[in-house]
Amino acid sequence: MSVLTVGVQASEDAVRKGMEAFIGAPAVDSVAKTPYGGLYEVVLKSGELVYTDDKVSFIVDGRVIDAQTRKDMTQARLNQLSAIDFASLPLDQAIKQVKGNGKRVIASFEDPNCGYCKRLGKELAQMKDVTIYTFLYPILSPDSTTKSRNIWCAKDRAKAWNDWIVDAKVPAASECDAAAVDRNVALGQKLKINGTPTLFLADGSRIGGYVPAAELEKALSAVVLK
């Protein structure tokens, strides 16, 4: 380890201690020196991203924009931090729908009572040549859990989901082993999914919130698999 590396590490450790002293709790997940403005990137365990200097004499809670490229460096970093290993998703716990050749892949975490999920459902219904894995993720109310279990236990899960999310046809009461719904909630919490819908593309990139089909098509076109 070089002297420079030791120095950087020491500074990062000092920033961590300073931030946690300011917050009053061990809330820092990581600290890294950035190549702009002498700032340090501080990722909190909550998933938030803030910036400070080496003495934690100020804290910046906002966006860093590259003036030359106009790139939102904060959003780019947040996208990187929130990405997942798509192959690790337990797809057997999701409702699978294949449209056309199904070559493009989307995984979504959705609450059946989420208004934006209903809007998303209408957008996804327009899309072609895509495979959609819907993880039932009831986090809004007890009724969300009831609806999720009834949909999961339906003979045709995809139909029951679309009947409800697109056409507002309440899923019939049904019983089965619906432990997958509980596992989805635990998984979503592990992935720090705090709102629905949350989508993941095949490269692991995350899209939080409702997006129209046209924007989703652009995002899918930009997916590059390693």
Side-chain angles (χ1 to χ4, degrees):
M1 183 179 292
S2 69
V3 174
L4 178 59
T5 302
V6 172
V8 171
Q9 185 63 51
S11 297
E12 291 175 353
D13 288 343
V15 169
R16 176 188 292 272
K17 290 177 182 177
M19 281 295 298
E20 292 187 339
F22 173 79
I23 296 169
V28 175
D29 189 48
S30 67
V31 176
K33 181 80 182 293
T34 74
Y36 33 84
L39 295 175
Y40 283 79
E41 165 198 288
V42 181
V43 180
L44 303 179
K45 291 179 180 178
S46 63
E48 296 172 272
L49 174 59
V50 298
Y51 303 94
T52 188
D53 64 345
D54 58 351
K55 296 182 176 59
V56 194
S57 56
F58 61 85
I59 297 170
V60 178
D61 182 7
R63 304 284 177 175
V64 172
I65 309 294
D66 186 312
Q68 290 188 329
T69 65
R70 298 180 181 271
K71 182 178 180 180
D72 185 332
M73 304 302 294
T74 302
Q75 188 58 56
R77 182 63 174 138
L78 285 170
N79 291 344
Q80 184 180 36
L81 289 168
S82 65
I84 65 166
D85 176 8
F86 192 92
S88 71
L89 288 175
L91 299 179
D92 59 321
Q93 293 174 200
I95 300 170
K96 182 180 181 180
Q97 300 181 69
V98 180
K99 296 173 176 287
N101 62 32
K103 287 184 177 181
R104 303 177 302 168
V105 182
I106 299 170
S108 66
F109 283 71
E110 303 186 49
D111 184 301
N113 287 327
C114 158
Y116 283 108
C117 296
K118 293 174 182 178
R119 290 180 63 185
L120 177 66
K122 291 179 172 61
E123 297 293 318
L124 293 177
Q126 304 173 32
M127 299 185 69
K128 300 177 181 179
D129 298 333
V130 64
T131 297
I132 304 167
Y133 292 96
T134 304
F135 288 83
L136 296 169
Y137 189 53
I139 58 174
L140 295 178
S141 69
D143 180 68
S144 295
T145 300
T146 298
K147 282 191 173 73
S148 294
R149 291 179 180 276
N150 288 338
I151 290 168
W152 184 255
C153 292
K155 290 183 179 179
D156 187 334
R157 294 167 179 165
K159 184 177 186 303
W161 171 253
N162 288 322
D163 281 350
W164 166 248
I165 212 72
V166 177
D167 299 320
K169 296 179 182 177
V170 178
S174 186
E175 293 185 7
C176 70
D177 179 0
V181 175
D182 298 325
R183 291 195 294 271
N184 287 350
V185 173
L187 174 63
Q189 292 172 345
K190 181 180 178 182
L191 296 175
K192 297 180 180 178
I193 297 175
N194 299 316
T196 56
T198 293
L199 286 71
F200 294 97
L201 306 185
D203 61 357
S205 57
R206 178 187 308 227
I207 300 174
Y210 162 80
V211 288
E215 287 187 27
L216 194 50
E217 290 283 0
K218 290 181 182 178
L220 286 168
S221 297
V223 170
V224 176
L225 299 179
K226 295 180 180 179

